[in-house]
Amino acid sequence: MSNRTNRIFGTIALLLVVAQALAIIGSWLITAAMPQLSLRSLLSAEGIRWFCGHIDDNLAQPLLVWLILAAITWGVVDRSRIISALRNLRRLDYRQRFALRLVAAEAVAAAVMLFLLTSVPHAILLGVTGHLFPSSFSQGFVFIVCFCLTLFAVTYGTMSGTLRGMGGVFNALTAGIIQWRFVWPLYILSVQLWFSLKFILLL
């Protein structure tokens, strides 16, 4: 990232830290001045125990899993250059065209499989009511999408030569985590602030 981008995300992180500090101090001042309000203080014994004892639970949200999956998927898609290939179909060599045909076959197979798992009577991924929402399919939708896109990108990359060997594939799988490094501290700060406000407001 550029220095300007780093400054932007650094400023956002600082604002989140300030907001957290204001929530801590503000909850203490308000509950001390107006105890009749239905609020809790983060500086009370209960608040300190909650803050220290629930950090893991607060951070371990489905959103974190989705962000990790999305970062991995983005890294592989970016390193495999499959998007660039789709944009320049007429300029591809034989190996690249063969790789795209293989990806297309995988996409068709994945679509057929998902159709059979979700659309036929008594399909495995349907919910107990026979609908897609809620169901195992809806709960695992983000994983399914990320897995399919990652599989397509890895297939294209290995067959076209943009991802060389297992080392290249593994490097691509970790590239997105590094590229999205700005997300992780912002996630921690924003999620903890959100749950702090919910604790204060008894939500």
Side-chain angles (χ1 to χ4, degrees):
M1 292 188 296
S2 65
N3 290 333
R4 183 174 181 273
T5 304
N6 285 329
R7 286 196 298 270
I8 292 174
F9 287 113
T11 301
I12 295 173
L14 177 60
L15 292 175
L16 289 171
V17 171
V18 171
Q20 181 70 64
L22 291 176
I24 294 173
I25 298 173
S27 65
W28 172 64
L29 291 175
I30 293 174
T31 54
M34 294 176 285
Q36 70 276 13
L37 295 178
S38 297
L39 298 175
R40 288 185 291 192
S41 171
L42 283 171
L43 288 180
S44 64
E46 179 189 11
I48 294 174
R49 284 195 299 267
W50 174 86
F51 194 90
C52 295
H54 286 78
I55 291 179
D56 293 347
D57 294 333
N58 294 342
L59 296 180
Q61 301 297 313
L63 177 60
L64 177 59
V65 178
W66 298 342
L67 287 173
I68 293 173
L69 291 174
I72 292 173
T73 302
W74 169 255
V76 178
V77 170
D78 181 54
R79 290 297 178 91
S80 70
R81 302 176 189 170
I82 188 172
I83 296 179
S84 176
L86 292 172
R87 290 176 177 173
N88 301 279
L89 292 175
R90 296 182 178 180
R91 301 178 183 177
L92 302 181
D93 57 28
Y94 173 79
R95 187 175 181 181
Q96 292 170 324
R97 288 196 299 271
F98 176 78
L100 279 183
R101 291 192 188 102
L102 190 56
V103 169
E106 287 181 341
V108 172
V112 171
M113 184 178 299
L114 287 176
F115 176 80
L116 295 176
L117 291 174
T118 58
S119 299
V120 300
H122 309 293
I124 296 175
L125 293 184
L126 291 179
V128 293
T129 60
H131 296 88
L132 281 177
F133 300 95
S135 67
S136 298
F137 174 78
S138 63
Q139 292 174 343
F141 180 76
V142 173
F143 169 77
I144 292 171
V145 171
C146 290
F147 175 80
C148 289
L149 292 178
T150 300
L151 175 63
F152 300 157
V154 168
T155 298
Y156 175 80
T158 54
M159 297 305 297
S160 67
T162 54
L163 300 179
R164 299 184 181 276
M166 291 304 300
V169 172
F170 186 79
N171 184 56
L173 290 170
T174 59
I177 300 293
I178 299 172
Q179 291 176 3
W180 286 26
R181 60 190 178 275
F182 63 90
V183 170
W184 316 125
L186 294 183
Y187 171 84
I188 293 172
L189 294 172
S190 58
V191 167
Q192 189 60 25
L193 175 61
W194 168 251
F195 280 100
S196 295
L197 294 176
K198 290 185 67 175
F199 174 84
I200 294 170
L201 300 173
L202 300 173
L203 298 177

mmCIF file of all heavy atoms in Angstrom, residues 117-148:
data_model
loop_
_atom_site.group_PDB
_atom_site.id
_atom_site.type_symbol
_atom_site.label_atom_id
_atom_site.label_comp_id
_atom_site.label_asym_id
_atom_site.label_seq_id
_atom_site.Cartn_x
_atom_site.Cartn_y
_atom_site.Cartn_z
ATOM 1 N N LEU A 117 -27.615 -30.694 -5.098
ATOM 2 C CA LEU A 117 -27.589 -30.647 -3.637
ATOM 3 C C LEU A 117 -28.602 -29.678 -3.046
ATOM 4 O O LEU A 117 -28.840 -29.698 -1.831
ATOM 5 C CB LEU A 117 -26.184 -30.255 -3.159
ATOM 6 C CG LEU A 117 -25.080 -31.285 -3.383
ATOM 7 C CD1 LEU A 117 -23.729 -30.703 -3.010
ATOM 8 C CD2 LEU A 117 -25.353 -32.546 -2.563
ATOM 9 N N THR A 118 -29.203 -28.833 -3.899
ATOM 10 C CA THR A 118 -30.105 -27.812 -3.355
ATOM 11 C C THR A 118 -31.481 -27.761 -4.009
ATOM 12 O O THR A 118 -32.404 -27.175 -3.427
ATOM 13 C CB THR A 118 -29.475 -26.412 -3.514
ATOM 14 O OG1 THR A 118 -29.195 -26.171 -4.901
ATOM 15 C CG2 THR A 118 -28.192 -26.285 -2.712
ATOM 16 N N SER A 119 -31.641 -28.349 -5.187
ATOM 17 C CA SER A 119 -32.882 -28.129 -5.928
ATOM 18 C C SER A 119 -33.767 -29.359 -6.091
ATOM 19 O O SER A 119 -34.967 -29.226 -6.308
ATOM 20 C CB SER A 119 -32.557 -27.567 -7.325
ATOM 21 O OG SER A 119 -31.880 -26.336 -7.214
ATOM 22 N N VAL A 120 -33.206 -30.532 -6.008
ATOM 23 C CA VAL A 120 -34.034 -31.726 -6.158
ATOM 24 C C VAL A 120 -34.793 -31.983 -4.856
ATOM 25 O O VAL A 120 -34.405 -31.483 -3.803
ATOM 26 C CB VAL A 120 -33.156 -32.953 -6.515
ATOM 27 C CG1 VAL A 120 -32.416 -32.715 -7.805
ATOM 28 C CG2 VAL A 120 -32.171 -33.263 -5.387
ATOM 29 N N PRO A 121 -35.891 -32.730 -4.905
ATOM 30 C CA PRO A 121 -36.638 -33.029 -3.670
ATOM 31 C C PRO A 121 -35.749 -33.720 -2.627
ATOM 32 O O PRO A 121 -34.963 -34.599 -2.954
ATOM 33 C CB PRO A 121 -37.752 -33.963 -4.159
ATOM 34 C CG PRO A 121 -37.924 -33.605 -5.598
ATOM 35 C CD PRO A 121 -36.551 -33.257 -6.095
ATOM 36 N N HIS A 122 -35.887 -33.273 -1.382
ATOM 37 C CA HIS A 122 -35.124 -33.814 -0.255
ATOM 38 C C HIS A 122 -33.617 -33.656 -0.457
ATOM 39 O O HIS A 122 -32.830 -34.526 -0.052
ATOM 40 C CB HIS A 122 -35.472 -35.292 -0.026
ATOM 41 C CG HIS A 122 -36.938 -35.566 0.076
ATOM 42 N ND1 HIS A 122 -37.704 -35.114 1.132
ATOM 43 C CD2 HIS A 122 -37.779 -36.227 -0.758
ATOM 44 C CE1 HIS A 122 -38.954 -35.499 0.959
ATOM 45 N NE2 HIS A 122 -39.040 -36.164 -0.190
ATOM 46 N N ALA A 123 -33.213 -32.566 -1.083
ATOM 47 C CA ALA A 123 -31.792 -32.308 -1.306
ATOM 48 C C ALA A 123 -31.058 -32.166 0.024
ATOM 49 O O ALA A 123 -31.603 -31.667 1.009
ATOM 50 C CB ALA A 123 -31.604 -31.043 -2.139
ATOM 51 N N ILE A 124 -29.804 -32.591 0.037
ATOM 52 C CA ILE A 124 -29.038 -32.659 1.281
ATOM 53 C C ILE A 124 -28.850 -31.288 1.926
ATOM 54 O O ILE A 124 -28.913 -31.153 3.149
ATOM 55 C CB ILE A 124 -27.665 -33.307 1.008
ATOM 56 C CG1 ILE A 124 -27.849 -34.749 0.557
ATOM 57 C CG2 ILE A 124 -26.775 -33.244 2.246
ATOM 58 C CD1 ILE A 124 -26.564 -35.429 0.154
ATOM 59 N N LEU A 125 -28.622 -30.248 1.113
ATOM 60 C CA LEU A 125 -28.287 -28.935 1.662
ATOM 61 C C LEU A 125 -29.505 -28.059 1.953
ATOM 62 O O LEU A 125 -29.348 -26.917 2.375
ATOM 63 C CB LEU A 125 -27.339 -28.194 0.716
ATOM 64 C CG LEU A 125 -25.943 -28.801 0.566
ATOM 65 C CD1 LEU A 125 -25.080 -27.925 -0.325
ATOM 66 C CD2 LEU A 125 -25.276 -28.994 1.922
ATOM 67 N N LEU A 126 -30.705 -28.575 1.733
ATOM 68 C CA LEU A 126 -31.899 -27.803 2.077
ATOM 69 C C LEU A 126 -32.130 -27.841 3.579
ATOM 70 O O LEU A 126 -31.691 -28.754 4.283
ATOM 71 C CB LEU A 126 -33.116 -28.366 1.348
ATOM 72 C CG LEU A 126 -33.161 -28.186 -0.171
ATOM 73 C CD1 LEU A 126 -34.423 -28.825 -0.727
ATOM 74 C CD2 LEU A 126 -33.095 -26.717 -0.547
ATOM 75 N N GLY A 127 -32.867 -26.834 4.078
ATOM 76 C CA GLY A 127 -33.206 -26.807 5.486
ATOM 77 C C GLY A 127 -34.304 -27.794 5.815
ATOM 78 O O GLY A 127 -34.868 -28.456 4.932
ATOM 79 N N VAL A 128 -34.643 -27.898 7.098
ATOM 80 C CA VAL A 128 -35.669 -28.847 7.533
ATOM 81 C C VAL A 128 -37.039 -28.493 6.958
ATOM 82 O O VAL A 128 -37.925 -29.346 6.852
ATOM 83 C CB VAL A 128 -35.738 -28.901 9.069
ATOM 84 C CG1 VAL A 128 -34.466 -29.499 9.628
ATOM 85 C CG2 VAL A 128 -35.987 -27.508 9.654
ATOM 86 N N THR A 129 -37.213 -27.226 6.571
ATOM 87 C CA THR A 129 -38.477 -26.807 5.976
ATOM 88 C C THR A 129 -38.496 -26.997 4.466
ATOM 89 O O THR A 129 -39.507 -26.719 3.816
ATOM 90 C CB THR A 129 -38.749 -25.327 6.290
ATOM 91 O OG1 THR A 129 -37.689 -24.523 5.752
ATOM 92 C CG2 THR A 129 -38.845 -25.096 7.799
ATOM 93 N N GLY A 130 -37.375 -27.457 3.893
ATOM 94 C CA GLY A 130 -37.297 -27.655 2.459
ATOM 95 C C GLY A 130 -36.920 -26.412 1.686
ATOM 96 O O GLY A 130 -37.028 -26.396 0.453
ATOM 97 N N HIS A 131 -36.468 -25.354 2.383
ATOM 98 C CA HIS A 131 -36.100 -24.104 1.724
ATOM 99 C C HIS A 131 -34.590 -23.880 1.812
ATOM 100 O O HIS A 131 -33.891 -24.471 2.654
ATOM 101 C CB HIS A 131 -36.837 -22.925 2.360
ATOM 102 C CG HIS A 131 -38.326 -22.989 2.203
ATOM 103 N ND1 HIS A 131 -39.136 -23.652 3.100
ATOM 104 C CD2 HIS A 131 -39.152 -22.494 1.247
ATOM 105 C CE1 HIS A 131 -40.399 -23.556 2.719
ATOM 106 N NE2 HIS A 131 -40.433 -22.860 1.585
ATOM 107 N N LEU A 132 -34.106 -22.972 0.947
ATOM 108 C CA LEU A 132 -32.682 -22.640 0.957
ATOM 109 C C LEU A 132 -32.307 -21.719 2.104
ATOM 110 O O LEU A 132 -31.166 -21.715 2.559
ATOM 111 C CB LEU A 132 -32.292 -21.984 -0.380
ATOM 112 C CG LEU A 132 -32.087 -22.913 -1.573
ATOM 113 C CD1 LEU A 132 -31.780 -22.102 -2.816
ATOM 114 C CD2 LEU A 132 -30.971 -23.906 -1.303
ATOM 115 N N PHE A 133 -33.261 -20.924 2.562
ATOM 116 C CA PHE A 133 -32.981 -19.964 3.635
ATOM 117 C C PHE A 133 -34.015 -20.122 4.735
ATOM 118 O O PHE A 133 -35.202 -19.873 4.495
ATOM 119 C CB PHE A 133 -33.012 -18.532 3.081
ATOM 120 C CG PHE A 133 -32.012 -18.284 2.002
ATOM 121 C CD1 PHE A 133 -32.375 -18.409 0.671
ATOM 122 C CD2 PHE A 133 -30.707 -17.944 2.300
ATOM 123 C CE1 PHE A 133 -31.453 -18.182 -0.344
ATOM 124 C CE2 PHE A 133 -29.780 -17.723 1.297
ATOM 125 C CZ PHE A 133 -30.156 -17.839 -0.032
ATOM 126 N N PRO A 134 -33.621 -20.533 5.939
ATOM 127 C CA PRO A 134 -32.256 -20.947 6.315
ATOM 128 C C PRO A 134 -32.012 -22.401 5.960
ATOM 129 O O PRO A 134 -32.934 -23.197 5.893
ATOM 130 C CB PRO A 134 -32.251 -20.753 7.829
ATOM 131 C CG PRO A 134 -33.677 -21.005 8.223
ATOM 132 C CD PRO A 134 -34.535 -20.486 7.083
ATOM 133 N N SER A 135 -30.756 -22.734 5.752
ATOM 134 C CA SER A 135 -30.382 -24.107 5.413
ATOM 135 C C SER A 135 -28.875 -24.241 5.555
ATOM 136 O O SER A 135 -28.155 -23.260 5.792
ATOM 137 C CB SER A 135 -30.801 -24.437 3.981
ATOM 138 O OG SER A 135 -30.040 -23.678 3.059
ATOM 139 N N SER A 136 -28.392 -25.463 5.375
ATOM 140 C CA SER A 136 -26.944 -25.669 5.387
ATOM 141 C C SER A 136 -26.289 -24.919 4.238
ATOM 142 O O SER A 136 -25.160 -24.439 4.352
ATOM 143 C CB SER A 136 -26.638 -27.171 5.280
ATOM 144 O OG SER A 136 -27.167 -27.876 6.385
ATOM 145 N N PHE A 137 -27.013 -24.805 3.119
ATOM 146 C CA PHE A 137 -26.472 -24.074 1.967
ATOM 147 C C PHE A 137 -26.281 -22.597 2.294
ATOM 148 O O PHE A 137 -25.230 -22.025 2.008
ATOM 149 C CB PHE A 137 -27.398 -24.221 0.767
ATOM 150 C CG PHE A 137 -26.994 -23.382 -0.416
ATOM 151 C CD1 PHE A 137 -25.960 -23.786 -1.244
ATOM 152 C CD2 PHE A 137 -27.641 -22.183 -0.689
ATOM 153 C CE1 PHE A 137 -25.579 -23.009 -2.328
ATOM 154 C CE2 PHE A 137 -27.263 -21.408 -1.766
ATOM 155 C CZ PHE A 137 -26.235 -21.817 -2.591
ATOM 156 N N SER A 138 -27.285 -21.979 2.890
ATOM 157 C CA SER A 138 -27.177 -20.552 3.212
ATOM 158 C C SER A 138 -26.111 -20.303 4.269
ATOM 159 O O SER A 138 -25.396 -19.307 4.219
ATOM 160 C CB SER A 138 -28.527 -20.014 3.685
ATOM 161 O OG SER A 138 -28.945 -20.656 4.881
ATOM 162 N N GLN A 139 -25.982 -21.216 5.232
ATOM 163 C CA GLN A 139 -24.975 -21.038 6.277
ATOM 164 C C GLN A 139 -23.560 -21.189 5.729
ATOM 165 O O GLN A 139 -22.626 -20.551 6.223
ATOM 166 C CB GLN A 139 -25.216 -22.048 7.400
ATOM 167 C CG GLN A 139 -26.497 -21.782 8.180
ATOM 168 C CD GLN A 139 -26.794 -22.869 9.190
ATOM 169 O OE1 GLN A 139 -26.243 -23.972 9.121
ATOM 170 N NE2 GLN A 139 -27.665 -22.576 10.145
ATOM 171 N N GLY A 140 -23.399 -22.022 4.717
ATOM 172 C CA GLY A 140 -22.072 -22.216 4.145
ATOM 173 C C GLY A 140 -21.870 -21.528 2.821
ATOM 174 O O GLY A 140 -20.920 -21.851 2.098
ATOM 175 N N PHE A 141 -22.744 -20.563 2.485
ATOM 176 C CA PHE A 141 -22.707 -19.924 1.165
ATOM 177 C C PHE A 141 -21.370 -19.235 0.900
ATOM 178 O O PHE A 141 -20.787 -19.382 -0.183
ATOM 179 C CB PHE A 141 -23.845 -18.922 1.042
ATOM 180 C CG PHE A 141 -23.884 -18.214 -0.287
ATOM 181 C CD1 PHE A 141 -24.361 -18.861 -1.408
ATOM 182 C CD2 PHE A 141 -23.431 -16.906 -0.402
ATOM 183 C CE1 PHE A 141 -24.382 -18.217 -2.638
ATOM 184 C CE2 PHE A 141 -23.448 -16.252 -1.626
ATOM 185 C CZ PHE A 141 -23.933 -16.909 -2.736
ATOM 186 N N VAL A 142 -20.868 -18.484 1.888
ATOM 187 C CA VAL A 142 -19.608 -17.763 1.692
ATOM 188 C C VAL A 142 -18.473 -18.751 1.450
ATOM 189 O O VAL A 142 -17.638 -18.560 0.553
ATOM 190 C CB VAL A 142 -19.300 -16.863 2.898
ATOM 191 C CG1 VAL A 142 -17.915 -16.236 2.773
ATOM 192 C CG2 VAL A 142 -20.357 -15.776 3.032
ATOM 193 N N PHE A 143 -18.435 -19.814 2.233
ATOM 194 C CA PHE A 143 -17.388 -20.827 2.041
ATOM 195 C C PHE A 143 -17.490 -21.469 0.668
ATOM 196 O O PHE A 143 -16.468 -21.676 -0.009
ATOM 197 C CB PHE A 143 -17.486 -21.909 3.122
ATOM 198 C CG PHE A 143 -16.619 -23.103 2.842
ATOM 199 C CD1 PHE A 143 -15.260 -23.064 3.066
ATOM 200 C CD2 PHE A 143 -17.175 -24.266 2.315
ATOM 201 C CE1 PHE A 143 -14.449 -24.157 2.788
ATOM 202 C CE2 PHE A 143 -16.376 -25.359 2.036
ATOM 203 C CZ PHE A 143 -15.012 -25.306 2.273
ATOM 204 N N ILE A 144 -18.711 -21.797 0.245
ATOM 205 C CA ILE A 144 -18.896 -22.454 -1.057
ATOM 206 C C ILE A 144 -18.394 -21.560 -2.188
ATOM 207 O O ILE A 144 -17.677 -22.003 -3.085
ATOM 208 C CB ILE A 144 -20.376 -22.818 -1.266
ATOM 209 C CG1 ILE A 144 -20.800 -23.915 -0.278
ATOM 210 C CG2 ILE A 144 -20.630 -23.273 -2.692
ATOM 211 C CD1 ILE A 144 -22.287 -24.188 -0.265
ATOM 212 N N VAL A 145 -18.765 -20.279 -2.141
ATOM 213 C CA VAL A 145 -18.338 -19.344 -3.186
ATOM 214 C C VAL A 145 -16.820 -19.199 -3.188
ATOM 215 O O VAL A 145 -16.167 -19.269 -4.243
ATOM 216 C CB VAL A 145 -19.020 -17.976 -2.991
ATOM 217 C CG1 VAL A 145 -18.408 -16.938 -3.930
ATOM 218 C CG2 VAL A 145 -20.510 -18.090 -3.232
ATOM 219 N N CYS A 146 -16.242 -18.999 -2.002
ATOM 220 C CA CYS A 146 -14.791 -18.815 -1.911
ATOM 221 C C CYS A 146 -14.043 -20.071 -2.339
ATOM 222 O O CYS A 146 -13.019 -19.992 -3.032
ATOM 223 C CB CYS A 146 -14.392 -18.429 -0.487
ATOM 224 S SG CYS A 146 -14.908 -16.761 0.002
ATOM 225 N N PHE A 147 -14.554 -21.228 -1.941
ATOM 226 C CA PHE A 147 -13.895 -22.483 -2.331
ATOM 227 C C PHE A 147 -13.911 -22.658 -3.848
ATOM 228 O O PHE A 147 -12.888 -23.026 -4.448
ATOM 229 C CB PHE A 147 -14.588 -23.668 -1.653
ATOM 230 C CG PHE A 147 -14.046 -25.002 -2.086
ATOM 231 C CD1 PHE A 147 -12.872 -25.498 -1.540
ATOM 232 C CD2 PHE A 147 -14.703 -25.754 -3.056
ATOM 233 C CE1 PHE A 147 -12.359 -26.721 -1.950
ATOM 234 C CE2 PHE A 147 -14.200 -26.976 -3.473
ATOM 235 C CZ PHE A 147 -13.025 -27.465 -2.912
ATOM 236 N N CYS A 148 -15.067 -22.408 -4.470
ATOM 237 C CA CYS A 148 -15.163 -22.566 -5.919
ATOM 238 C C CYS A 148 -14.249 -21.596 -6.645
ATOM 239 O O CYS A 148 -13.517 -21.986 -7.582
ATOM 240 C CB CYS A 148 -16.607 -22.371 -6.365
ATOM 241 S SG CYS A 148 -17.732 -23.696 -5.889
#
